[in-house]
Amino acid sequence: MISRLYNEILENKQRILVSTAELKNQLFAMVKEKLDTKWITYLPPTNIPSKNILAIDGGMWSKETRSGVVFIVDAEAVLYDGRNIERLDDRALIDAFRPGNHAKERISLVMQLMELQLAIKNGDKADLILLDGSLAKKIGRHKVTEKISDIDDVFTVDDIISLKEGESEEKMHKLLVAENHYAISLLIEKYREKLLFISKNSKSSDIFGQPYSDVVVLELFTQGIGYTQPMEKTIEDKYIVSKKASRILSNLKFYTSLVRLDKDSRILKFDFFEREKLLEFINTLAAISVRGYPYPLLEVHKDVRISRDDVKRVMRLLGFKPKQEEWWPSQFL
Amino acid sequence: MISRLYNEILENKQRILVSTAELKNQLFAMVKEKLDTKWITYLPPTNIPSKNILAIDGGMWSKETRSGVVFIVDAEAVLYDGRNIERLDDRALIDAFRPGNHAKERISLVMQLMELQLAIKNGDKADLILLDGSLAKKIGRHKVTEKISDIDDVFTVDDIISLKEGESEEKMHKLLVAENHYAISLLIEKYREKLLFISKNSKSSDIFGQPYSDVVVLELFTQGIGYTQPMEKTIEDKYIVSKKASRILSNLKFYTSLVRLDKDSRILKFDFFEREKLLEFINTLAAISVRGYPYPLLEVHKDVRISRDDVKRVMRLLGFKPKQEEWWPSQFL
């Protein structure tokens, strides 16, 4: 960067810090009243009996090469009994797509489907099933003029049927959405009351209606363990692609709460199906959270995430050269 | 990542490489005929007299803090006479926005405006003015029901008027677009025939109509210096926000060519106003390109880009702690 920018920063630093502090004060004035009614501080009881918790997460990485998008996906299910983590089941895939036509989104649908399949297969072993990510995001917002039933009678938890579609990427994308919807419907049908979707990055601002997300508001102005009252949500029929899945998913009600599991920790979003289960979930998870994040989800995340070192190794395995044109102008060389 | 993924990669590596090679062959079959007619190989004459070239670029960085988006922007103009780079002029700014409401886009409009202002101020010193980025992208696609003239009579090359708008972020965004449009119109009015917009990341697929961009097609299947015939484009009136700017910009014709300046180098997109100038541009720039990229643009880019080290220093200057919650699950910790 040019040296004049340093001077600019030094001269204006104080003004900038004051102005961000002012922004914070303005925000506080806007949300103060609502905070008192919406945020409920809570002290979970100690000596909560431990439960069998299934935690599932996935990882993905893709590289747009000159002739296609190569990608890898993995997913794992671990079982935590209050003392030990047992690695129950996992999935892994490497494949290549043509670029464009929602390549990235298809890859993320593959990862999500693997997670759902692991949950369906292993859910019976647990009292509580934790999935990473929000329910609404897993459903997505793919408007379709007509629901399809291509997947409905061939669905299996061991394979991804949609990937066999070789002709049209558009079709494959639609099939993947349908296959995910089918898996979600099956999962809910089997394990409705013990399902908990936990997301770290909720952007919604329904509660406080500010340009800042509700999570930011709560993280700025609350500190202790607590939650927001469950808000009822409905899965809209128009977004459901699989015909059979829509019998269960269309117009299905679920609940959303923002939760802090430990003092000074970050806010999580919980999606679940039985309103009165919220405190039970918080009691169970607050006891086993690591700085506010459920321990089994953290462990499974560590296993599946594809780190920079993994990427380097994978690139070597596949014979890709690392960053060929380092001289090429780019913002963050 | 889980170990099963390694096995999966080793077992499927060959299949994946074959399948990407097949994708490449399929693509070649689709574009072969068009390639012969659309791509023109060219050998620029040697001993081209050197010109005075003005090259302008900008850099930006922003950080979403809990209470606002802090950002820094810089821009610089250099003059190259065929032998030396002279740093003519620069600009720098640090400020903070509330998050949301197009904060990132407003920051990038600020950077772009600084570049345009430097071009207007210093354009008279050069035979050729190089700007980084495509003309269409600088215009943008902001549909407005009514053009505004707030900027038109107060525009100056030394200040950014829109940043004084303190009430509404929406308004500030619209003003910034108008101010950019006004600057572009002024620049074209003054220096029309010596303006050349160069972009490195054109995604368009107008020429070959494939899911792969035209740049990818050309980089895969051509090697030498060359270009595609200039395609006429029109700036659409509906996207112009400043009333006065629309007198010059609305329905203005310009030309676009994809160009390779050096053997085996990458493809650039040129936007310019006089069709017959293309070969002159190529002749001048091929002689001073570094692996296919014009040397003065590369030099100015190095000056303005905000590197990782810069970011670290800036964060320290502003008193931000580096990555506070490293334990927090994220895909690429």
Side-chain angles (χ1 to χ4, degrees):
Chain A
M1 66 191 226
I2 62 174
S3 55
R4 181 199 292 267
L5 196 42
Y6 280 108
N7 306 335
E8 201 72 15
I9 291 169
L10 289 171
E11 278 167 29
N12 290 283
K13 183 184 157 175
Q14 218 40 48
R15 183 178 60 81
I16 300 299
L17 295 180
V18 168
S19 109
T20 55
E22 266 167 24
L23 290 174
K24 186 172 163 178
N25 292 340
Q26 282 168 16
L27 180 61
F28 186 62
M30 300 289 288
V31 300
K32 205 165 54 178
E33 275 179 51
K34 271 199 179 168
L35 264 178
D36 291 338
T37 59
K38 299 287 181 183
W39 178 251
I40 298 148
T41 54
Y42 176 67
L43 196 66
T46 47
N47 289 325
I48 294 288
S50 63
K51 290 190 173 168
N52 284 320
I53 300 175
L54 188 74
I56 293 161
D57 200 1
M60 58 184 250
W61 171 79
S62 66
K63 179 168 173 59
E64 202 160 327
T65 73
R66 295 274 128 192
S67 49
V69 181
V70 175
F71 67 92
I72 57 180
V73 175
D74 66 359
E76 188 183 58
V78 303
L79 189 67
Y80 181 64
D81 61 5
R83 290 191 303 181
N84 297 305
I85 290 277
E86 183 189 353
R87 279 156 186 83
L88 277 188
D89 204 351
D90 60 27
R91 296 282 295 275
L93 178 76
I94 173 169
D95 212 336
F97 286 154
R98 291 205 304 166
N101 289 316
H102 309 292
K104 290 248 171 184
E105 204 190 328
R106 280 183 284 146
I107 297 165
S108 120
L109 285 166
V110 167
M111 179 184 78
Q112 180 177 301
L113 182 54
M114 283 183 172
E115 295 172 11
L116 294 166
Q117 290 172 327
L118 288 174
I120 295 167
K121 272 180 82 175
N122 299 285
D124 57 338
K125 303 176 184 92
D127 309 309
L128 177 57
I129 303 172
L130 305 183
L131 286 132
D132 182 58
S134 86
L135 177 58
K137 213 175 155 205
K138 288 191 199 301
I139 299 282
R141 289 166 165 269
H142 315 271
K143 269 190 205 168
V144 282
T145 43
E146 220 176 333
K147 299 189 193 307
I148 58 175
S149 48
D150 307 46
I151 293 296
D152 294 351
D153 297 317
V154 288
F155 181 86
T156 151
V157 289
D158 297 308
D159 200 6
I160 296 178
I161 310 282
S162 311
L163 290 178
K164 302 196 166 79
E165 165 64 40
E167 287 308 305
S168 153
E169 280 99 357
E170 284 301 324
K171 183 73 192 285
M172 189 203 284
H173 182 249
K174 195 171 176 182
L175 287 172
L176 273 171
V177 175
E179 202 167 352
N180 269 277
H181 288 172
Y182 189 89
I184 295 171
S185 73
L186 210 59
L187 187 64
I188 294 175
E189 194 175 34
K190 288 182 96 154
Y191 308 118
R192 191 174 173 283
E193 75 288 347
K194 57 185 183 184
L195 282 175
L196 179 58
F197 300 83
I198 297 186
S199 47
K200 302 175 292 291
N201 305 305
S202 169
K203 298 275 177 235
S204 68
S205 50
D206 305 351
I207 300 177
F208 299 104
Q210 297 296 319
Y212 300 75
S213 72
D214 296 333
V215 166
V216 164
V217 170
L218 292 173
E219 291 187 352
L220 276 173
F221 306 119
T222 71
Q223 281 77 40
I225 300 177
Y227 59 91
T228 59
Q229 281 300 3
M231 254 171 116
E232 190 181 277
K233 305 257 171 144
T234 305
I235 297 176
E236 289 184 71
D237 171 63
K238 66 179 173 195
Y239 296 130
I240 305 302
V241 178
S242 144
K243 221 178 249 176
K244 228 177 192 173
S246 86
R247 289 192 219 156
I248 289 178
L249 297 182
S250 292
N251 307 310
L252 181 70
K253 305 239 174 299
F254 66 99
Y255 296 92
T256 285
S257 277
L258 298 175
V259 175
R260 183 185 283 113
L261 289 174
D262 200 0
K263 205 167 162 301
D264 292 323
S265 75
R266 291 177 65 175
I267 298 282
L268 301 170
K269 190 174 86 165
F270 284 11
D271 293 333
F272 50 99
F273 294 97
E274 305 210 354
R275 181 194 270 270
E276 61 279 5
K277 281 264 189 177
L278 176 62
L279 288 187
E280 191 186 316
F281 290 149
I282 295 179
N283 291 344
T284 303
L285 294 178
I288 59 156
S289 86
V290 179
R291 292 202 249 173
Y293 195 71
Y295 172 65
L297 268 184
L298 192 61
E299 282 297 302
V300 68
H301 174 81
K302 280 192 212 155
D303 285 351
V304 295
R305 84 191 167 90
I306 290 157
S307 68
R308 281 180 207 205
D309 285 342
D310 288 333
V311 167
K312 277 185 205 155
R313 260 171 291 175
V314 172
M315 301 261 286
R316 238 187 345 253
L317 280 178
L318 291 173
F320 294 144
K321 287 180 206 124
K323 272 250 186 89
Q324 292 143 319
E325 312 199 57
E326 304 225 11
W327 63 277
W328 194 257
S330 116
Q331 184 74 0
F332 288 105
L333 274 186
Chain B
M1 64 192 229
I2 62 175
S3 55
R4 183 199 291 267
L5 196 41
Y6 280 107
N7 305 336
E8 201 71 17
I9 292 167
L10 289 170
E11 277 168 29
N12 290 284
K13 184 184 157 176
Q14 219 40 50
R15 182 179 61 80
I16 301 299
L17 295 179
V18 168
S19 109
T20 55
E22 264 167 26
L23 290 173
K24 186 171 164 179
N25 292 341
Q26 282 168 18
L27 179 62
F28 186 62
M30 301 289 287
V31 300
K32 204 165 56 178
E33 276 179 50
K34 271 201 178 165
L35 264 177
D36 290 339
T37 60
K38 299 286 179 181
W39 179 251
I40 298 147
T41 54
Y42 177 67
L43 196 65
T46 46
N47 289 325
I48 293 290
S50 65
K51 288 191 173 166
N52 284 321
I53 300 175
L54 187 74
I56 293 161
D57 200 1
M60 59 183 249
W61 172 79
S62 67
K63 179 168 172 59
E64 203 160 325
T65 74
R66 295 274 129 193
S67 48
V69 182
V70 176
F71 66 92
I72 57 180
V73 175
D74 66 359
E76 188 183 59
V78 303
L79 189 68
Y80 182 65
D81 62 4
R83 289 190 305 181
N84 298 306
I85 290 277
E86 184 188 354
R87 279 156 187 83
L88 277 188
D89 204 351
D90 59 27
R91 296 283 295 276
L93 179 75
I94 172 168
D95 212 336
F97 286 153
R98 291 205 302 166
N101 288 317
H102 308 291
K104 290 249 171 183
E105 204 189 328
R106 281 183 282 146
I107 297 166
S108 120
L109 285 166
V110 167
M111 179 184 78
Q112 180 177 299
L113 183 54
M114 283 184 171
E115 296 172 12
L116 294 165
Q117 289 172 328
L118 288 173
I120 296 167
K121 272 180 84 174
N122 299 285
D124 57 338
K125 302 175 184 92
D127 310 309
L128 177 58
I129 303 172
L130 305 183
L131 285 133
D132 181 58
S134 87
L135 176 58
K137 212 175 153 203
K138 288 192 197 303
I139 299 282
R141 290 167 165 268
H142 315 270
K143 269 192 204 166
V144 282
T145 44
E146 221 176 332
K147 299 188 195 308
I148 58 175
S149 48
D150 307 45
I151 293 297
D152 293 352
D153 297 317
V154 288
F155 180 87
T156 151
V157 288
D158 296 308
D159 200 5
I160 296 178
I161 310 283
S162 311
L163 290 178
K164 302 196 165 79
E165 165 63 40
E167 287 307 304
S168 152
E169 280 99 358
E170 284 299 325
K171 183 74 191 283
M172 189 203 284
H173 182 249
K174 195 171 177 182
L175 287 173
L176 272 170
V177 175
E179 201 166 352
N180 269 276
H181 288 172
Y182 189 89
I184 296 171
S185 74
L186 210 59
L187 187 65
I188 294 175
E189 195 175 33
K190 289 182 96 151
Y191 308 119
R192 190 173 174 283
E193 75 289 345
K194 57 185 182 183
L195 282 175
L196 180 58
F197 300 83
I198 298 186
S199 48
K200 301 176 291 294
N201 305 306
S202 169
K203 299 273 177 235
S204 68
S205 49
D206 306 351
I207 300 177
F208 299 105
Q210 296 296 318
Y212 301 75
S213 72
D214 294 335
V215 166
V216 164
V217 170
L218 291 173
E219 291 187 352
L220 275 173
F221 306 119
T222 71
Q223 282 77 40
I225 300 177
Y227 58 92
T228 60
Q229 280 301 3
M231 253 171 117
E232 190 181 278
K233 305 259 171 143
T234 306
I235 297 176
E236 289 186 71
D237 171 62
K238 67 179 172 195
Y239 295 129
I240 304 303
V241 178
S242 145
K243 222 178 247 175
K244 227 178 193 172
S246 86
R247 289 193 220 155
I248 290 179
L249 296 182
S250 291
N251 307 311
L252 181 70
K253 304 239 175 296
F254 67 99
Y255 298 92
T256 286
S257 276
L258 298 175
V259 175
R260 183 185 284 112
L261 289 174
D262 200 0
K263 206 168 160 300
D264 292 322
S265 75
R266 290 176 65 174
I267 298 282
L268 301 169
K269 190 175 86 164
F270 283 13
D271 293 333
F272 50 98
F273 295 97
E274 304 211 354
R275 181 193 271 269
E276 60 281 5
K277 282 264 190 176
L278 176 61
L279 288 188
E280 191 185 316
F281 290 149
I282 295 178
N283 292 343
T284 303
L285 295 178
I288 59 155
S289 88
V290 178
R291 292 204 248 171
Y293 196 72
Y295 172 66
L297 269 183
L298 191 62
E299 282 297 302
V300 69
H301 175 81
K302 280 191 212 155
D303 285 352
V304 296
R305 85 190 166 89
I306 290 156
S307 68
R308 280 180 208 204
D309 284 343
D310 289 332
V311 168
K312 277 186 206 156
R313 260 170 293 175
V314 171
M315 300 261 287
R316 238 187 345 252
L317 280 177
L318 291 172
F320 295 143
K321 286 181 205 122
K323 270 251 185 87
Q324 294 144 318
E325 312 199 59
E326 303 226 12
W327 62 277
W328 195 257
S330 116
Q331 184 73 0
F332 289 105
L333 275 187

